[in-house]
Amino acid sequence: MSSEQEGKSIRCLVAKVGLDGHDRGAHVISRAFRDAGFEVIYSGLHKAPEDIVQAAVQEDVDVLGISILSGAHDTLVPKVMDGLREYDAAEDTLVLVGGVIPEEDRPELKDEGVAAIFGPGTSIEETVEFVRENAPER
């Protein structure tokens, strides 16, 4: 398979989980992913972990990008990962987290199955390249 996955576009869900009301970063990454040729679905604000899991499974996404700035990443992200595992979707979904995630919390999120964590100041190009190189082949 080529990096373009034989012409099939990469399906991405950009999700805001929990009560975090700040969505500028989610909009920026959604537009950047669209500009890169990815198919993008945006969850909207204030979604419960179960809502995110349902959307990821129903839309059969390749990539789930969770944007979280509320500080509740240590409880909300594991709930999303548990839900993906319940539907046997964790293995073939590349899960990314974007936001202000303290260094000391990152290993736990990686242990949960998060592929990468992108903090403030990460270049759009770096994020797009990571998705292109790591999105699951179907």
Side-chain angles (χ1 to χ4, degrees), residues 79-117:
K79 286 180 182 175
V80 171
M81 297 308 297
D82 288 346
L84 290 174
R85 283 189 282 274
E86 276 178 41
Y87 285 94
D88 292 326
E91 286 298 307
D92 55 2
T93 306
L94 181 72
V95 179
L96 313 174
V97 173
V100 182
I101 311 296
E103 281 301 323
E104 61 268 20
D105 293 351
R106 292 175 179 225
E108 187 182 329
L109 294 180
K110 294 272 180 103
D111 290 347
E112 279 289 339
V114 172
I117 299 165

Side-chain angles (χ1 to χ4, degrees), residues 57-71:
V57 170
Q58 289 170 6
E59 296 288 350
D60 193 29
V61 298
D62 303 304
V63 179
L64 169 56
I66 302 170
S67 170
I68 189 160
L69 296 162
S70 65

Side-chain angles (χ1 to χ4, degrees), residues 100-138:
V100 182
I101 311 296
E103 281 301 323
E104 61 268 20
D105 293 351
R106 292 175 179 225
E108 187 182 329
L109 294 180
K110 294 272 180 103
D111 290 347
E112 279 289 339
V114 172
I117 299 165
F118 297 101
T122 303
S123 78
I124 296 295
E125 294 75 23
E126 182 184 337
T127 310
V128 167
E129 198 53 41
F130 185 87
V131 169
R132 281 206 172 108
E133 289 173 8
N134 296 282
E137 294 178 1
R138 299 195 178 219

Side-chain angles (χ1 to χ4, degrees), residues 7 9 19-20 24 26-27 33-36 38 46 49 51 63-64 74-75 85 98 104 106 109 114 116 124 138:
S9 68
L19 299 177
D20 178 4
R24 182 175 174 272
H27 285 286
F33 281 1
R34 202 167 289 126
D35 291 349
F38 304 162
H46 309 303
D51 298 334
V63 179
L64 169 56
D74 51 347
T75 55
R85 283 189 282 274
E104 61 268 20
R106 292 175 179 225
L109 294 180
V114 172
I124 296 295
R138 299 195 178 219

